[in-house]
Amino acid sequence: MTGRMRATVPLLPALMAGALTACGTAGPPGTAMQDGDGEIAFERNSEFSGPRLRMFLTLQDGREASVNTTDDAIGTRPGETPIPGHEARDWTFVKDAETGTTLAHALVSWDPGNPADYLMAGWWIQFPGQHLPELSLADSEQYAIVDGPEIDPANPPQLPLAGEATYTGSVGGAYRYVPEGDRDAAVVEEYRGTITLSADFGSRTLSGCIGCVGELAAGRAHFGAVLGDEAPDGRSLIADYELHLGAAAIGPEGNFEVADIAVRHPERTPVRTEGFWGGLFSNIPNADGEPRLVAGFSSAAFSESDGSKAVIVGAFVAPADRSGNP
């Protein structure tokens, strides 16, 4: 059985800002899960036989829900992949069943010569007892998923016993910013950026930063089904923020998780931050014997000295940096 990651974070209600209507075209995406314990769960959440995908999960009431590319996909397009030699495609799903409605999105990267070598990242919003066209986020369940055989805790990586490695990749999710506490002026937007990670295999620790390389940028990549397809104009409010990821201990299964995120900005003053980050190393080694990538989640909620508040949540995939760095 392949291992799956679901991010569970109690901060998500602060990101949600109202009701979805008309098939979910207003309001923020469900980029983090709401299970109330603030931890990452490792579960099976997908089956893939390129290019067919089935996503499934166990809901809070114990029922299993699923969507698939044959019956429930309402849109598809080519995707971007960080893995050399892979192909990628993303799908948007809507399923209106008797027990409620599912809105989901998935991006899959796979080896066309070996579809069993795949990596999936996606989000899922479940609306129990609700049906189109009116859906309320206030009564929904939200999940983020990163999934694939190479991040299987039942098949852990053989980590190097010593040495260091760097990982650089993409991170994306959603943020909500409330300037000076004025809810009427709240901004909810999707963002994308770069994550950089440093692994010390001797001390079994991993640390890093989101936004220290390049800027975090608003735009439409994966949450158009919720936010709409029109990208925001101008430079995003999130551009100058950096999320410094504190050192996390790497566990025996290649897993890591720590409640240590520091938010920094060159002109603003974050005064209180709560959050966590974590994930798994790949069990597929690169030519240097290091895991070829790291995947996981991050979540940070913070206040600023002028009363502004923000929540930033997301998922990341970071391949090993082979550019000559340690």
Side-chain angles (χ1 to χ4, degrees), residues 55-321:
M55 293 175 66
F56 54 90
L57 54 79
T58 302
L59 302 175
Q60 293 177 10
D61 63 5
R63 291 184 298 107
E64 183 178 285
S66 68
V67 294
N68 66 77
T69 50
T70 300
D71 301 317
D72 308 308
I74 63 168
T76 183
R77 61 184 179 181
E80 298 178 2
T81 174
I83 303 175
H86 271 211
E87 296 180 359
R89 179 161 290 277
D90 67 20
W91 290 271
T92 299
F93 304 93
V94 173
K95 183 175 184 177
D96 195 350
E98 181 179 353
T99 55
T101 300
T102 299
L103 176 64
H105 180 89
L107 170 66
V108 179
S109 168
W110 75 94
D111 180 347
N114 178 22
D117 174 11
Y118 76 92
L119 189 68
M120 186 273 283
W123 56 261
W124 182 301
I125 308 179
Q126 188 70 24
F127 301 90
Q130 301 182 50
H131 302 281
L132 299 170
E134 294 186 358
L135 303 173
S136 171
L137 278 170
D139 301 311
S140 67
E141 304 171 20
Q142 304 87 25
Y143 304 85
I145 302 170
V146 181
D147 189 14
E150 69 183 285
I151 50 172
D152 180 358
N155 182 22
Q158 296 295 315
L159 298 175
L161 299 177
E164 299 178 353
T166 59
Y167 293 82
T168 301
S170 59
V171 60
Y175 67 95
R176 184 181 188 221
Y177 188 83
V178 184
E180 299 181 0
D182 183 359
R183 290 179 175 270
D184 292 336
V187 174
V188 179
E189 194 47 76
E190 180 178 0
Y191 76 92
R192 300 182 74 185
T194 298
I195 183 171
T196 52
L197 298 170
S198 297
D200 186 326
F201 294 114
S203 65
R204 285 293 193 268
T205 58
L206 181 70
S207 59
C209 184
I210 295 172
C212 288
V213 173
E215 290 185 339
L216 301 182
R220 289 291 182 274
H222 305 301
F223 301 134
V226 180
L227 291 174
D229 293 327
E230 185 177 350
D233 295 328
R235 193 165 179 266
S236 82
L237 291 171
I238 202 176
D240 291 325
Y241 285 96
E242 297 175 355
L243 276 61
H244 291 256
L245 311 174
I250 303 172
E253 296 178 343
N255 57 303
F256 56 92
E257 182 178 0
V258 65
D260 187 354
I261 294 185
V263 179
R264 299 179 185 175
H265 191 283
E267 298 176 355
R268 306 192 63 80
T269 308
V271 295
R272 183 179 62 85
T273 302
E274 297 178 358
F276 79 101
W277 73 289
L280 274 170
F281 280 88
S282 169
N283 58 24
I284 299 178
N286 60 19
D288 295 328
E290 305 155 352
R292 74 172 178 179
L293 60 81
V294 184
F297 308 95
S298 65
S299 175
F302 58 95
S303 301
E304 297 179 325
S305 57
D306 65 354
S308 298
K309 298 181 179 180
V311 181
I312 304 173
V313 293
F316 62 85
V317 175
D321 188 345

